[in-house]
Coordinates of all heavy atoms in Angstrom, one line a residue:
M1 N 19.5 -4.9 9.4 CA 18.4 -5.7 9.8 C 18.1 -6.7 8.6 O 17.9 -6.3 7.6 CB 17.2 -4.9 10.0 CG 16.1 -5.6 10.7 SD 14.7 -4.6 11.1 CE 15.3 -3.2 11.9
D2 N 18.3 -8.0 9.0 CA 18.1 -9.1 8.1 C 16.7 -9.5 8.1 O 16.2 -10.1 9.1 CB 19.1 -10.2 8.3 CG 19.2 -11.1 7.2 OD1 19.0 -10.8 6.0 OD2 19.7 -12.4 7.5
V3 N 16.0 -9.3 7.0 CA 14.6 -9.7 6.9 C 14.3 -10.6 5.6 O 14.9 -10.2 4.5 CB 13.7 -8.4 6.7 CG1 12.3 -8.7 6.7 CG2 14.0 -7.5 7.9
S4 N 13.6 -11.5 5.7 CA 13.2 -12.4 4.6 C 12.5 -11.7 3.7 O 11.8 -10.8 3.8 CB 12.4 -13.7 5.2 OG 11.2 -13.3 5.5
K5 N 12.5 -12.3 2.4 CA 11.7 -11.7 1.2 C 10.2 -11.8 1.5 O 9.5 -10.9 1.1 CB 12.1 -12.4 0.0 CG 13.5 -12.2 -0.5 CD 13.8 -13.0 -1.8 CE 13.8 -12.1 -3.0 NZ 14.1 -12.9 -4.2
T6 N 9.8 -12.9 2.2 CA 8.4 -13.1 2.5 C 7.9 -12.0 3.4 O 6.8 -11.4 3.1 CB 8.2 -14.5 3.1 OG1 8.6 -15.4 2.1 CG2 6.8 -14.6 3.4
K7 N 8.8 -11.7 4.5 CA 8.3 -10.7 5.4 C 8.4 -9.3 4.9 O 7.4 -8.5 5.0 CB 9.2 -10.8 6.7 CG 8.8 -9.9 7.8 CD 9.7 -10.1 9.0 CE 9.0 -9.6 10.3 NZ 9.8 -10.0 11.5
S8 N 9.3 -9.0 4.1 CA 9.4 -7.7 3.5 C 8.2 -7.4 2.5 O 7.6 -6.4 2.4 CB 10.8 -7.4 2.8 OG 11.0 -8.2 1.8
S9 N 7.9 -8.5 1.7 CA 6.8 -8.4 0.8 C 5.5 -8.2 1.6 O 4.6 -7.4 1.1 CB 6.8 -9.7 -0.1 OG 5.6 -9.6 -0.9
F10 N 5.3 -9.0 2.6 CA 4.1 -8.7 3.4 C 4.0 -7.4 4.0 O 3.0 -6.8 3.9 CB 4.1 -9.9 4.5 CG 3.0 -9.8 5.4 CD1 1.7 -10.2 5.0 CD2 3.1 -9.5 6.8 CE1 0.6 -10.0 5.9 CE2 2.0 -9.5 7.7 CZ 0.7 -9.7 7.2
Y11 N 5.1 -6.9 4.6 CA 5.0 -5.6 5.2 C 4.8 -4.4 4.1 O 4.2 -3.5 4.3 CB 6.4 -5.3 5.9 CG 6.4 -5.9 7.4 CD1 5.3 -6.6 7.8 CD2 7.6 -5.8 8.1 CE1 5.3 -7.1 9.2 CE2 7.6 -6.3 9.4 CZ 6.4 -6.9 10.0 OH 6.5 -7.4 11.2
R12 N 5.4 -4.7 2.9 CA 5.2 -3.7 1.9 C 3.8 -3.6 1.5 O 3.2 -2.6 1.3 CB 6.1 -4.1 0.7 CG 6.0 -3.0 -0.4 CD 7.0 -3.2 -1.6 NE 7.3 -4.7 -1.8 CZ 8.4 -5.3 -1.4 NH1 9.3 -4.7 -0.7 NH2 8.7 -6.5 -1.8
R13 N 3.1 -4.7 1.4 CA 1.7 -4.7 1.1 C 0.8 -4.1 2.1 O -0.1 -3.3 1.9 CB 1.2 -6.2 0.9 CG 1.8 -6.8 -0.4 CD 1.4 -8.2 -0.5 NE 2.2 -8.9 -1.6 CZ 2.0 -10.1 -1.9 NH1 1.0 -10.9 -1.3 NH2 2.8 -10.7 -2.8
L14 N 1.1 -4.4 3.4 CA 0.4 -3.8 4.6 C 0.6 -2.2 4.5 O -0.3 -1.5 4.6 CB 1.0 -4.4 5.9 CG 0.6 -5.8 6.2 CD1 1.1 -6.1 7.6 CD2 -0.9 -6.1 6.1
Y15 N 1.8 -1.9 4.4 CA 2.1 -0.4 4.4 C 1.5 0.3 3.3 O 1.0 1.5 3.4 CB 3.7 -0.2 4.4 CG 4.1 1.2 4.7 CD1 3.7 1.8 5.9 CD2 4.8 1.9 3.8 CE1 4.0 3.1 6.2 CE2 5.2 3.3 4.1 CZ 4.8 3.8 5.3 OH 5.2 5.1 5.5
V16 N 1.5 -0.2 2.1 CA 0.9 0.4 0.9 C -0.6 0.6 1.1 O -1.3 1.6 0.8 CB 1.2 -0.3 -0.4 CG1 0.3 0.0 -1.6 CG2 2.7 -0.1 -0.8
A17 N -1.3 -0.5 1.6 CA -2.7 -0.4 1.9 C -2.9 0.7 3.0 O -3.9 1.4 2.8 CB -3.1 -1.8 2.3
W18 N -2.1 0.7 3.9 CA -2.3 1.7 5.0 C -2.1 3.1 4.4 O -2.9 4.0 4.8 CB -1.3 1.4 6.2 CG -1.5 2.4 7.2 CD1 -2.4 2.4 8.3 CD2 -0.7 3.7 7.5 NE1 -2.4 3.5 9.1 CE2 -1.3 4.2 8.6 CE3 0.3 4.3 6.9 CZ2 -0.9 5.4 9.1 CZ3 0.8 5.4 7.3 CH2 0.1 6.0 8.5
L19 N -1.1 3.3 3.6 CA -0.9 4.6 3.0 C -2.1 5.1 2.2 O -2.5 6.2 2.3 CB 0.3 4.7 2.1 CG 1.7 4.6 2.8 CD1 2.8 4.3 1.8 CD2 1.9 5.9 3.5
I20 N -2.7 4.2 1.4 CA -3.9 4.4 0.6 C -5.1 4.8 1.6 O -5.8 5.8 1.4 CB -4.3 3.3 -0.3 CG1 -3.1 3.1 -1.4 CG2 -5.6 3.4 -0.9 CD1 -3.2 1.8 -2.2
D21 N -5.3 4.0 2.6 CA -6.4 4.1 3.4 C -6.3 5.4 4.2 O -7.3 6.1 4.6 CB -6.5 3.0 4.3 CG -8.0 2.8 4.9 OD1 -8.9 2.9 4.2 OD2 -8.1 2.5 6.1
S22 N -5.1 5.8 4.7 CA -4.9 7.0 5.5 C -4.9 8.3 4.6 O -5.0 9.3 5.2 CB -3.7 6.9 6.2 OG -2.5 7.0 5.4
G23 N -4.9 8.1 3.3 CA -4.8 9.3 2.4 C -3.5 9.8 2.2 O -3.3 10.8 1.5
A24 N -2.5 9.2 2.8 CA -1.1 9.7 2.6 C -0.5 9.5 1.2 O 0.3 10.3 0.7 CB -0.2 9.1 3.6
A25 N -1.0 8.5 0.5 CA -0.6 8.2 -0.8 C -1.7 7.4 -1.5 O -1.9 6.2 -1.1 CB 0.7 7.4 -0.9
R26 N -2.4 8.0 -2.5 CA -3.6 7.3 -3.0 C -3.4 7.1 -4.6 O -4.4 6.7 -5.2 CB -4.8 8.1 -2.8 CG -5.1 8.2 -1.3 CD -6.2 9.0 -0.9 NE -7.4 8.7 -1.7 CZ -8.6 9.3 -1.6 NH1 -8.7 10.3 -0.7 NH2 -9.6 8.9 -2.3
S27 N -2.1 7.2 -5.1 CA -1.9 7.0 -6.6 C -0.6 6.4 -6.6 O 0.3 6.4 -5.6 CB -2.0 8.2 -7.3 OG -0.9 9.2 -6.9
V28 N -0.2 5.8 -7.8 CA 1.1 5.2 -8.0 C 2.2 6.2 -7.8 O 3.1 6.1 -7.1 CB 1.2 4.5 -9.3 CG1 2.6 4.0 -9.6 CG2 0.2 3.2 -9.3
P29 N 2.0 7.5 -8.4 CA 3.0 8.5 -8.2 C 3.2 8.9 -6.7 O 4.3 9.2 -6.4 CB 2.6 9.7 -9.1 CG 1.7 9.0 -10.2 CD 1.1 7.9 -9.5
D30 N 2.1 9.0 -6.0 CA 2.1 9.3 -4.6 C 2.9 8.2 -3.9 O 3.8 8.5 -3.0 CB 0.8 9.4 -4.0 CG 0.0 10.6 -4.4 OD1 0.6 11.5 -5.0 OD2 -1.2 10.6 -4.1
L31 N 2.7 6.9 -4.1 CA 3.3 5.8 -3.5 C 4.8 5.9 -3.8 O 5.7 5.7 -2.9 CB 2.8 4.5 -4.0 CG 1.4 4.2 -3.4 CD1 0.9 2.9 -4.2 CD2 1.4 3.9 -1.9
M32 N 5.2 6.3 -5.1 CA 6.6 6.4 -5.4 C 7.3 7.4 -4.6 O 8.4 7.3 -4.2 CB 6.8 6.6 -6.9 CG 6.3 5.4 -7.8 SD 6.1 5.8 -9.5 CE 7.7 6.5 -9.9
A33 N 6.6 8.6 -4.5 CA 7.2 9.7 -3.8 C 7.4 9.4 -2.3 O 8.4 9.8 -1.7 CB 6.3 10.9 -4.0
V34 N 6.3 8.8 -1.7 CA 6.4 8.5 -0.2 C 7.4 7.5 0.1 O 8.1 7.6 1.2 CB 5.1 8.3 0.3 CG1 5.0 7.7 1.7 CG2 4.1 9.4 0.2
T35 N 7.4 6.5 -0.7 CA 8.4 5.2 -0.3 C 9.6 5.2 -1.1 O 10.6 4.6 -0.6 CB 7.5 3.9 -0.6 OG1 7.3 3.9 -2.0 CG2 6.2 3.9 0.1
G36 N 9.7 5.8 -2.2 CA 10.9 5.7 -3.0 C 10.9 4.5 -3.9 O 11.9 4.2 -4.5
M37 N 9.8 3.7 -3.9 CA 9.8 2.4 -4.6 C 9.6 2.8 -6.1 O 9.0 3.8 -6.5 CB 8.7 1.5 -4.1 CG 7.3 1.8 -4.4 SD 6.1 0.6 -4.0 CE 6.2 0.5 -2.1
P38 N 10.1 1.9 -7.0 CA 10.0 2.1 -8.4 C 8.5 1.9 -8.8 O 7.7 1.3 -8.1 CB 10.7 0.9 -9.1 CG 11.8 0.5 -8.0 CD 11.0 0.8 -6.7
R39 N 8.1 2.5 -9.9 CA 6.7 2.5 -10.4 C 6.3 1.0 -10.5 O 5.2 0.7 -10.1 CB 6.6 3.1 -11.8 CG 5.2 3.0 -12.5 CD 5.1 3.7 -13.7 NE 5.1 5.1 -13.5 CZ 4.1 5.8 -13.1 NH1 3.0 5.2 -12.9 NH2 4.2 7.2 -13.0
R40 N 7.0 0.1 -11.1 CA 6.6 -1.3 -11.3 C 6.4 -2.0 -10.0 O 5.4 -2.8 -9.8 CB 7.7 -2.0 -12.1 CG 7.2 -3.4 -12.6 CD 6.0 -3.3 -13.6 NE 5.4 -4.5 -13.6 CZ 4.2 -4.8 -14.1 NH1 3.5 -3.8 -14.6 NH2 3.7 -6.0 -14.1
T41 N 7.2 -1.7 -9.0 CA 7.0 -2.3 -7.6 C 5.7 -1.7 -7.0 O 5.0 -2.6 -6.5 CB 8.2 -1.9 -6.8 OG1 9.4 -2.4 -7.3 CG2 8.0 -2.6 -5.4
A42 N 5.4 -0.5 -7.1 CA 4.2 0.1 -6.6 C 3.0 -0.6 -7.3 O 2.0 -1.0 -6.7 CB 4.2 1.6 -6.9
Q43 N 3.1 -0.7 -8.7 CA 1.9 -1.3 -9.3 C 1.8 -2.8 -9.0 O 0.7 -3.3 -8.8 CB 2.2 -1.2 -10.8 CG 2.1 0.2 -11.4 CD 2.6 0.3 -12.8 OE1 3.6 -0.4 -13.3 NE2 2.0 1.3 -13.5
D44 N 2.8 -3.5 -8.9 CA 2.8 -4.9 -8.5 C 2.2 -5.2 -7.1 O 1.5 -6.1 -6.8 CB 4.1 -5.6 -8.6 CG 4.6 -5.8 -10.0 OD1 3.8 -5.6 -11.0 OD2 5.8 -6.1 -10.3
T45 N 2.6 -4.2 -6.2 CA 2.2 -4.3 -4.8 C 0.7 -4.1 -4.8 O 0.0 -4.7 -4.0 CB 2.9 -3.3 -3.9 OG1 4.4 -3.6 -4.0 CG2 2.6 -3.3 -2.5
L46 N 0.2 -3.0 -5.5 CA -1.2 -2.8 -5.5 C -2.0 -4.0 -6.0 O -3.0 -4.5 -5.5 CB -1.6 -1.6 -6.4 CG -1.2 -0.3 -5.8 CD1 -1.2 0.8 -7.0 CD2 -2.1 0.1 -4.8
A47 N -1.5 -4.7 -7.0 CA -2.1 -5.8 -7.6 C -2.1 -7.0 -6.7 O -3.0 -7.9 -6.7 CB -1.4 -6.2 -8.9
A48 N -1.1 -7.1 -5.8 CA -0.9 -8.2 -4.8 C -1.7 -8.1 -3.5 O -1.8 -9.0 -2.7 CB 0.5 -8.3 -4.5
L49 N -2.4 -6.9 -3.4 CA -3.2 -6.7 -2.2 C -4.3 -7.7 -2.0 O -4.7 -8.1 -1.0 CB -3.7 -5.2 -2.0 CG -2.7 -4.2 -1.8 CD1 -3.4 -2.8 -1.8 CD2 -1.9 -4.4 -0.6
A50 N -4.8 -8.1 -3.2 CA -5.9 -9.1 -3.2 C -5.4 -10.4 -2.6 O -6.3 -11.2 -2.0 CB -6.4 -9.2 -4.6
D51 N -4.3 -10.8 -2.8 CA -3.7 -12.0 -2.1 C -3.8 -12.1 -0.6 O -3.9 -13.2 -0.1 CB -2.2 -12.2 -2.5 CG -1.9 -12.5 -3.9 OD1 -2.8 -12.8 -4.6 OD2 -0.7 -12.2 -4.3
L52 N -3.9 -10.9 0.0 CA -4.1 -10.8 1.4 C -5.6 -10.5 1.7 O -5.9 -10.2 2.9 CB -3.2 -9.6 2.1 CG -1.7 -9.7 1.9 CD1 -1.1 -8.5 2.5 CD2 -1.3 -11.1 2.6
D53 N -6.5 -10.7 0.7 CA -7.9 -10.3 0.9 C -8.2 -8.9 1.2 O -9.1 -8.5 1.9 CB -8.6 -11.3 1.9 CG -8.9 -12.6 1.3 OD1 -8.9 -12.8 0.1 OD2 -8.9 -13.6 2.2
I54 N -7.2 -8.0 0.8 CA -7.4 -6.6 1.0 C -8.1 -6.1 -0.3 O -7.5 -6.3 -1.4 CB -6.2 -5.8 1.3 CG1 -5.6 -6.2 2.6 CG2 -6.5 -4.2 1.3 CD1 -4.2 -5.7 2.9
D55 N -9.4 -5.6 -0.2 CA -10.0 -5.1 -1.4 C -9.7 -3.7 -1.7 O -10.1 -2.8 -1.0 CB -11.5 -5.2 -1.1 CG -12.4 -4.9 -2.3 OD1 -11.8 -4.6 -3.4 OD2 -13.6 -4.9 -2.2
C56 N -8.8 -3.5 -2.7 CA -8.4 -2.2 -3.1 C -8.9 -1.9 -4.5 O -8.8 -2.6 -5.4 CB -6.8 -2.1 -3.1 SG -6.2 -0.5 -3.6
A57 N -9.6 -0.7 -4.7 CA -10.2 -0.4 -6.0 C -9.8 1.0 -6.4 O -9.5 1.9 -5.6 CB -11.6 -0.5 -5.9
F58 N -9.6 1.1 -7.7 CA -9.4 2.4 -8.4 C -10.7 3.1 -8.4 O -11.7 2.7 -9.0 CB -8.8 2.3 -9.7 CG -8.3 3.6 -10.3 CD1 -7.2 4.2 -9.8 CD2 -9.1 4.2 -11.3 CE1 -6.8 5.4 -10.4 CE2 -8.7 5.4 -11.8 CZ -7.5 6.1 -11.4
V59 N -10.8 4.4 -8.0 CA -12.0 5.2 -8.0 C -11.8 6.3 -9.1 O -10.9 7.2 -8.9 CB -12.3 5.8 -6.6 CG1 -13.5 6.6 -6.7 CG2 -12.4 4.7 -5.6
Q60 N -12.5 6.2 -10.2 CA -12.5 7.2 -11.2 C -13.1 8.5 -10.7 O -14.2 8.5 -10.1 CB -13.3 6.6 -12.4 CG -13.2 7.6 -13.6 CD -11.9 7.5 -14.3 OE1 -11.2 6.5 -14.3 NE2 -11.4 8.5 -15.0
E61 N -12.4 9.6 -10.9 CA -12.9 11.0 -10.5 C -14.2 11.2 -11.4 O -14.1 11.1 -12.6 CB -11.9 12.0 -10.6 CG -10.7 11.9 -9.7 CD -11.1 12.0 -8.3 OE1 -12.0 12.7 -7.9 OE2 -10.5 11.4 -7.4
P62 N -15.3 11.8 -10.8 CA -16.4 12.0 -11.7 C -16.1 13.1 -12.7 O -15.5 14.0 -12.5 CB -17.4 12.6 -10.7 CG -17.0 12.1 -9.3 CD -15.5 11.9 -9.5
G63 N -16.6 12.8 -13.9 CA -16.4 13.8 -15.0 C -15.1 13.7 -15.7 O -14.8 14.4 -16.7
E64 N -14.1 12.9 -15.1 CA -12.7 12.8 -15.7 C -12.7 11.7 -16.6 O -13.4 10.8 -16.5 CB -11.7 12.8 -14.6 CG -11.7 13.9 -13.6 CD -11.1 15.2 -14.4 OE1 -10.3 15.1 -15.2 OE2 -11.5 16.3 -14.0
R65 N -11.7 11.8 -17.6 CA -11.5 10.7 -18.5 C -10.2 9.9 -18.1 O -9.4 10.4 -17.4 CB -11.3 11.2 -19.9 CG -12.6 11.8 -20.3 CD -12.6 12.4 -21.7 NE -11.4 12.3 -22.4 CZ -11.2 12.3 -23.7 NH1 -12.3 12.5 -24.4 NH2 -10.1 12.1 -24.3
N66 N -10.1 8.7 -18.7 CA -8.9 8.0 -18.5 C -8.6 7.6 -17.2 O -9.5 7.2 -16.5 CB -7.6 8.6 -19.2 CG -7.8 8.9 -20.7 OD1 -8.4 8.1 -21.4 ND2 -7.2 10.0 -21.2
N67 N -7.4 7.7 -16.7 CA -7.0 7.2 -15.3 C -6.9 8.3 -14.3 O -6.1 8.3 -13.4 CB -5.7 6.5 -15.4 CG -5.8 5.2 -16.1 OD1 -6.9 4.5 -16.1 ND2 -4.8 4.7 -16.8
A68 N -7.8 9.3 -14.3 CA -7.9 10.4 -13.3 C -8.7 9.8 -12.2 O -9.9 9.6 -12.3 CB -8.6 11.6 -13.9
G69 N -8.1 9.5 -11.1 CA -8.7 9.1 -9.9 C -7.7 8.7 -8.8 O -6.6 9.1 -8.9
H70 N -8.1 7.8 -7.9 CA -7.3 7.4 -6.9 C -7.6 6.0 -6.5 O -8.7 5.6 -6.8 CB -7.4 8.4 -5.6 CG -8.8 8.4 -5.1 ND1 -9.8 9.3 -5.6 CD2 -9.3 7.7 -4.1 CE1 -10.9 9.0 -4.9 NE2 -10.7 8.1 -4.0
Y71 N -6.8 5.5 -5.7 CA -7.1 4.1 -5.0 C -7.7 4.2 -3.7 O -7.5 5.1 -3.0 CB -5.8 3.2 -4.9 CG -5.4 2.7 -6.3 CD1 -4.4 3.5 -7.0 CD2 -5.8 1.6 -6.8 CE1 -3.9 3.1 -8.1 CE2 -5.3 1.2 -8.0 CZ -4.3 1.9 -8.8 OH -3.9 1.5 -9.9
A72 N -8.6 3.2 -3.3 CA -9.3 3.2 -2.0 C -9.4 1.8 -1.5 O -9.6 0.9 -2.3 CB -10.7 3.9 -2.1
I73 N -9.2 1.6 -0.2 CA -9.4 0.4 0.4 C -10.9 0.2 0.8 O -11.4 1.0 1.5 CB -8.5 0.3 1.7 CG1 -7.0 0.4 1.3 CG2 -8.8 -1.1 2.3 CD1 -6.4 -0.4 0.3
R74 N -11.5 -0.7 0.2 CA -12.9 -1.0 0.4 C -13.2 -2.0 1.6 O -14.1 -1.9 2.3 CB -13.6 -1.5 -0.8 CG -13.6 -0.4 -1.9 CD -14.5 -0.8 -3.1 NE -14.2 -2.0 -3.7 CZ -14.4 -2.4 -5.0 NH1 -15.3 -1.6 -5.7 NH2 -13.9 -3.5 -5.5
D75 N -12.2 -2.9 1.8 CA -12.3 -3.9 2.8 C -10.9 -4.5 3.2 O -10.1 -4.7 2.2 CB -13.2 -5.1 2.4 CG -13.4 -6.1 3.4 OD1 -13.2 -5.8 4.6 OD2 -14.1 -7.1 3.2
W76 N -10.7 -4.5 4.5 CA -9.3 -4.9 5.0 C -9.2 -6.5 5.1 O -8.2 -7.0 5.4 CB -9.0 -4.2 6.2 CG -8.4 -2.9 6.1 CD1 -9.2 -1.7 6.1 CD2 -7.1 -2.5 5.8 NE1 -8.2 -0.7 6.0 CE2 -7.0 -1.1 5.8 CE3 -5.9 -3.2 5.8 CZ2 -5.8 -0.4 5.6 CZ3 -4.7 -2.6 5.5 CH2 -4.7 -1.2 5.5
G77 N -10.3 -7.1 4.9 CA -10.3 -8.6 5.2 C -9.9 -8.9 6.6 O -10.4 -8.3 7.5
A78 N -9.0 -9.8 6.7 CA -8.6 -10.2 8.2 C -7.5 -9.3 8.7 O -7.1 -9.5 9.9 CB -8.1 -11.7 8.2
I79 N -7.1 -8.3 8.0 CA -6.0 -7.4 8.5 C -6.5 -6.4 9.3 O -7.5 -5.7 9.0 CB -5.2 -6.8 7.3 CG1 -4.7 -7.9 6.3 CG2 -4.1 -5.9 7.7 CD1 -3.7 -8.8 6.9
D80 N -5.8 -6.0 10.5 CA -6.1 -5.0 11.3 C -5.4 -3.6 11.0 O -4.1 -3.7 11.3 CB -5.9 -5.3 12.8 CG -6.2 -4.2 13.8 OD1 -6.9 -3.3 13.4 OD2 -5.9 -4.5 15.0
P81 N -5.9 -2.7 10.4 CA -5.2 -1.5 10.0 C -4.6 -0.7 11.2 O -3.6 0.0 11.1 CB -6.1 -0.6 9.2 CG -7.5 -1.1 9.5 CD -7.4 -2.6 10.0
A82 N -5.3 -0.8 12.3 CA -4.7 -0.1 13.6 C -3.5 -0.8 14.0 O -2.6 0.0 14.5 CB -5.8 -0.3 14.7
W83 N -3.1 -2.0 13.7 CA -1.9 -2.6 14.1 C -0.8 -1.9 13.2 O 0.2 -1.7 13.7 CB -2.0 -4.1 13.8 CG -0.7 -4.9 14.2 CD1 -0.3 -5.3 15.3 CD2 0.4 -5.0 13.3 NE1 1.0 -5.9 15.2 CE2 1.5 -5.7 14.1 CE3 0.8 -4.7 12.0 CZ2 2.7 -5.9 13.5 CZ3 2.0 -5.0 11.4 CH2 3.0 -5.6 12.2
I84 N -1.1 -1.8 11.8 CA -0.1 -1.1 10.9 C 0.1 0.2 11.5 O 1.3 0.6 11.4 CB -0.8 -1.2 9.6 CG1 -1.1 -2.6 9.2 CG2 0.2 -0.6 8.6 CD1 -1.9 -2.7 7.9
A85 N -0.9 1.1 11.8 CA -0.7 2.4 12.3 C 0.2 2.4 13.5 O 1.1 3.2 13.6 CB -2.0 3.1 12.6
R86 N 0.1 1.5 14.4 CA 0.9 1.4 15.6 C 2.3 1.0 15.4 O 3.1 1.4 16.1 CB 0.2 0.5 16.7 CG -1.0 0.9 17.3 CD -1.4 0.0 18.5 NE -1.4 -1.4 18.2 CZ -2.5 -2.1 17.7 NH1 -3.6 -1.4 17.5 NH2 -2.5 -3.3 17.5
H87 N 2.6 0.3 14.2 CA 3.8 -0.3 14.0 C 4.4 0.3 12.7 O 5.4 -0.2 12.2 CB 3.8 -1.8 13.9 CG 3.4 -2.4 15.1 ND1 2.1 -2.7 15.5 CD2 4.1 -2.9 16.2 CE1 2.0 -3.3 16.7 NE2 3.2 -3.5 17.1
Q88 N 3.9 1.4 12.2 CA 4.3 1.9 11.0 C 5.8 2.4 11.0 O 6.6 2.1 10.0 CB 3.5 3.0 10.5 CG 3.6 4.3 11.2 CD 3.1 5.6 10.5 OE1 3.4 5.7 9.3 NE2 2.2 6.3 11.1
A89 N 6.4 2.9 12.1 CA 7.7 3.4 12.1 C 8.6 2.1 11.9 O 9.6 2.1 11.3 CB 8.0 4.0 13.4
R90 N 8.3 1.0 12.6 CA 9.1 -0.3 12.5 C 9.0 -0.8 11.1 O 10.0 -1.2 10.6 CB 8.5 -1.3 13.6 CG 9.3 -2.6 13.5 CD 8.9 -3.5 14.6 NE 9.4 -4.8 14.4 CZ 8.7 -5.9 14.1 NH1 7.4 -5.8 13.8 NH2 9.3 -7.0 13.9
I91 N 7.8 -0.8 10.5 CA 7.7 -1.3 9.2 C 8.4 -0.6 8.2 O 9.1 -1.1 7.3 CB 6.2 -1.4 8.8 CG1 5.4 -2.4 9.7 CG2 6.0 -1.6 7.3 CD1 3.9 -2.3 9.5
K92 N 8.3 0.8 8.3 CA 9.2 1.7 7.4 C 10.7 1.4 7.6 O 11.4 1.4 6.6 CB 8.9 3.1 7.7 CG 7.6 3.7 7.2 CD 7.3 5.1 7.7 CE 8.2 6.1 7.4 NZ 7.8 7.4 7.8
A93 N 11.1 1.2 8.8 CA 12.6 1.0 9.0 C 13.0 -0.4 8.4 O 14.1 -0.5 7.7 CB 12.8 0.9 10.5
I94 N 12.2 -1.4 8.6 CA 12.5 -2.7 8.0 C 12.5 -2.6 6.4 O 13.3 -3.3 5.8 CB 11.4 -3.8 8.5 CG1 11.6 -4.0 9.9 CG2 11.5 -5.0 7.5 CD1 10.5 -4.9 10.5
L95 N 11.6 -1.8 5.8 CA 11.5 -1.8 4.4 C 12.6 -0.7 3.8 O 12.7 -0.6 2.6 CB 10.2 -1.3 3.9 CG 9.0 -2.4 4.3 CD1 7.7 -1.8 4.0 CD2 9.3 -3.6 3.4
G96 N 13.2 0.0 4.8 CA 14.2 1.0 4.3 C 13.5 2.3 3.8 O 14.1 3.0 3.0
Y97 N 12.2 2.6 4.1 CA 11.5 3.8 3.5 C 11.9 5.0 4.5 O 12.0 4.8 5.5 CB 10.0 3.5 3.5 CG 9.6 2.4 2.5 CD1 8.4 1.7 2.6 CD2 10.4 2.1 1.4 CE1 8.0 0.9 1.8 CE2 10.0 1.0 0.6 CZ 8.7 0.4 0.7 OH 8.3 -0.5 -0.2
P98 N 11.8 6.2 3.7 CA 12.1 7.4 4.5 C 11.0 7.7 5.5 O 9.9 7.3 5.3 CB 12.2 8.5 3.4 CG 11.6 7.8 2.1 CD 11.6 6.4 2.4

């Protein structure tokens, strides 16, 4: 399947946000395990969610130190997460994720 870099980048961001919101992957190691993407790609994708007006924040676990916590989607902006849920199989196939 021939997909443009723009489309694959857009779908990767949508899918990562959906994984976080659904609870399927809420940390960088979780994202790496679920998608097979490298750490840096996962980190860059999380940082790029704001470009789509998706408000993703790191939630520190109460009483824990350093980076003990998880990511959470606080606002989807103009994106419809139900659309992503309905099309996740196609998005995964386009991105080559398991």
Side-chain angles (χ1 to χ4, degrees):
M1 191 178 306
D2 196 23
V3 178
S4 72
K5 288 175 111 177
T6 301
K7 188 173 196 172
S8 64
S9 175
F10 179 66
Y11 277 0
R12 183 173 31 262
R13 293 174 192 184
L14 293 181
Y15 189 58
V16 163
W18 182 82
L19 287 170
I20 291 167
D21 201 45
S22 70
R26 296 176 52 180
S27 67
V28 171
D30 289 348
L31 290 169
M32 293 168 56
V34 169
T35 64
M37 71 175 67
R39 175 175 291 279
R40 188 68 197 163
T41 302
Q43 292 169 329
D44 289 348
T45 302
L46 284 167
L49 293 178
D51 292 343
L52 300 178
D53 285 334
I54 297 174
D55 183 6
C56 179
F58 186 78
V59 179
Q60 185 77 27
E61 295 294 331
E64 296 291 328
R65 295 177 5 155
N66 300 326
N67 291 327
H70 62 274
Y71 287 94
I73 302 298
R74 295 191 296 200
D75 186 10
W76 280 93
I79 304 296
D80 178 11
W83 183 91
I84 303 165
R86 287 192 309 272
H87 295 90
Q88 71 163 312
R90 180 172 169 255
I91 292 170
K92 284 172 54 177
I94 288 170
L95 296 173
Y97 294 159

